[in-house]
Amino acid sequence: MMRGFFRTVFALTAVTALGCAPEATTPDGGGGGAAAVTYTKDVQPIFAVKCAPCHTTDRQGMHNIGTTYADALKPVNTPDAPSGCFKDGDAKTMPKTIGECTVPAIMEGWMPMAMGCFNTPRPAECVSLEQQDVVTRWVAAGMPQ
């Protein structure tokens, strides 16, 4: 009998505490006041500059992430990509999407290719830390169009 009483009190306390919990925040860390990061508005302009011409004309990487949102949803198709582009890491048998791969590719200096983006400070041709943050927030938000 006493055990049931304590369970009831605990359950009511938990429900009451949840009612007092703060509101959920948006992926940008705000309370919803900041605009959501989207491909069209925020990310595509970065890709169009930093990933062109290789990823705007299907010449390399077999995708046009610099111009086509749908290509961000394609699976990574090269085992040369950083292990962060795969759900199973170094095994590299379970690719993430190209959009998800942009963050490890940028962070590891893999893209833009042959630009020395792993150096500090980063060369001008590379994605800046501010731009990297925008891309990271876009991926964290589920890559909205």
Side-chain angles (χ1 to χ4, degrees):
M1 173 92 170
M2 219 36 180
R3 186 180 298 175
F5 173 76
F6 285 116
R7 285 184 183 161
T8 303
V9 170
F10 179 76
L12 288 174
T13 303
V15 169
T16 302
L18 287 174
C20 298
E23 291 184 32
T25 59
T26 58
D28 65 1
V37 177
T38 67
Y39 173 84
T40 304
K41 178 174 62 73
D42 306 291
V43 178
Q44 190 274 333
I46 296 169
F47 291 163
V49 171
K50 300 297 183 174
C51 305
C54 299
H55 297 298
T56 57
T57 58
D58 256 347
R59 292 195 308 177
Q60 296 177 354
M62 296 185 285
H63 65 84
N64 292 334
I65 197 168
T67 56
T68 308
Y69 173 75
D71 284 6
L73 307 177
K74 289 181 177 180
V76 170
N77 57 7
T78 177
D80 295 336
S83 59
C85 295
F86 297 87
K87 296 173 186 168
D88 57 351
D90 290 333
K92 297 187 175 186
T93 61
M94 299 172 57
K96 292 182 179 179
T97 65
I98 291 170
E100 293 169 311
C101 182
T102 57
V103 175
I106 292 167
M107 291 178 71
E108 294 184 26
W110 189 60
M111 290 290 158
M113 185 69 79
M115 295 295 172
C117 295
F118 49 84
N119 293 320
T120 303
R122 291 180 177 180
E125 296 82 13
C126 301
V127 175
S128 70
L129 293 176
E130 293 79 17
Q131 292 168 326
Q132 177 181 315
D133 181 59
V134 170
V135 175
T136 300
R137 288 187 291 128
W138 173 66
V139 171
M143 302 186 306
Q145 186 172 3

